[in-house]
Amino acid sequence: MRRLEGIQKRLQLHDNTGGMRRLEINLQKRFSRILNQEELMWHQRSRALLLADGVRNTKYYHMQTIARRKRIKILMLKDENGDWINEHKALKKHVTKFYKNLFAGPNHWCKWEKTKVSFPLLDEKCLRRLEGDIHIDEVKCTLFSMKPWKVLGPNGFPAGFYQKDWKVVGVGLSKLVQDAW
């Protein structure tokens, strides 16, 4: 910006130099590219859904990022007895235990609902392929091919949750898919 300002001041005094004009144009292009990169960085960090054309690095994106960080940080949770847990290691242990219990054994259930979505009919060849058993490797491969934080599943968890904690939830999740299949 300083170089650009200096060149522009110099051009105001001596407006007949072609080399300075080309340098100014090159610096403006470079500056625009940097602004676009910065805009993209803040857009990604703020997870804003839409960008209005021409919006540059603004206070809005900074505030979105800060607000989101504050909103998603878990400081304490209640345990089964109603006591608050606020110590970091105890929180991690409590959350791991919760999800192990959630996805383990006969306590797990899933509410299925009818939808108005219709699907195309499959031919016999596709139907025969679908009749086979599903293996844990197939479930893992499919899960890890998904974008981790794009869309929440019907239970409110994104694919990244299952990817990150595959060692804990992998067997239970695969069993759920096999049972549903």
Side-chain angles (χ1 to χ4, degrees):
M1 282 176 59
R2 286 190 188 121
R3 285 182 68 196
L4 195 55
E5 286 171 12
I7 288 171
Q8 288 172 343
K9 284 180 186 176
R10 192 160 184 178
L11 282 171
Q12 286 174 351
L13 299 174
H14 312 286
D15 58 348
N16 58 0
T17 51
M20 290 297 258
R21 288 257 180 244
R22 283 192 300 276
L23 184 57
E24 179 193 25
I25 290 168
N26 288 338
L27 284 174
Q28 284 178 340
K29 285 179 184 176
R30 187 172 169 200
F31 182 61
S32 181
R33 206 170 35 250
I34 289 169
L35 286 177
N36 286 333
Q37 289 171 344
E38 189 175 31
E39 178 184 356
L40 178 62
M41 179 200 67
W42 281 107
H43 171 69
Q44 289 170 341
R45 288 187 70 184
S46 69
R47 296 179 187 248
L49 299 177
L50 297 173
L51 258 179
D53 286 337
V55 175
R56 297 290 181 198
N57 179 15
T58 64
K59 195 182 227 182
Y60 167 77
Y61 294 109
H62 294 272
M63 295 310 292
Q64 283 285 100
T65 303
I66 291 167
R68 185 172 188 285
R69 278 190 200 140
K70 286 181 181 178
R71 197 173 55 242
I72 64 172
K73 190 169 188 173
I74 296 174
L75 299 175
M76 45 173 57
L77 293 171
K78 277 188 181 179
D79 64 8
E80 302 83 25
N81 303 324
D83 298 324
W84 286 101
I85 303 170
N86 62 358
E87 202 265 325
H88 185 71
K89 285 184 182 178
L91 272 172
K92 285 175 84 171
K93 188 175 178 180
H94 177 69
V95 170
T96 302
K97 180 181 164 192
F98 173 81
Y99 286 107
K100 279 184 178 179
N101 291 337
L102 180 66
F103 293 108
N107 298 337
H108 183 72
W109 64 276
C110 183
K111 181 180 175 186
W112 295 96
E113 297 178 14
K114 287 186 176 182
T115 64
K116 295 180 181 179
V117 176
S118 63
F119 297 97
L121 294 176
L122 300 174
D123 61 16
E124 286 298 317
K125 184 180 176 184
C126 277
L127 287 172
R128 274 187 260 117
R129 270 193 310 181
L130 294 173
E131 288 174 350
D133 292 333
I134 293 179
H135 302 284
I136 191 168
D137 295 333
E138 232 179 321
V139 175
K140 184 177 181 181
C141 181
T142 302
L143 176 69
F144 279 80
S145 70
M146 297 172 160
K147 297 221 185 259
W149 310 112
K150 278 287 190 176
V151 179
L152 298 178
N155 58 3
F157 300 111
F161 167 78
Y162 300 102
Q163 292 169 356
K164 186 174 186 302
D165 294 315
W166 178 255
K167 289 179 184 174
V168 176
V169 300
V171 173
L173 182 64
S174 297
K175 176 92 172 89
L176 173 69
V177 171
Q178 290 165 348
D179 291 346
W181 200 254

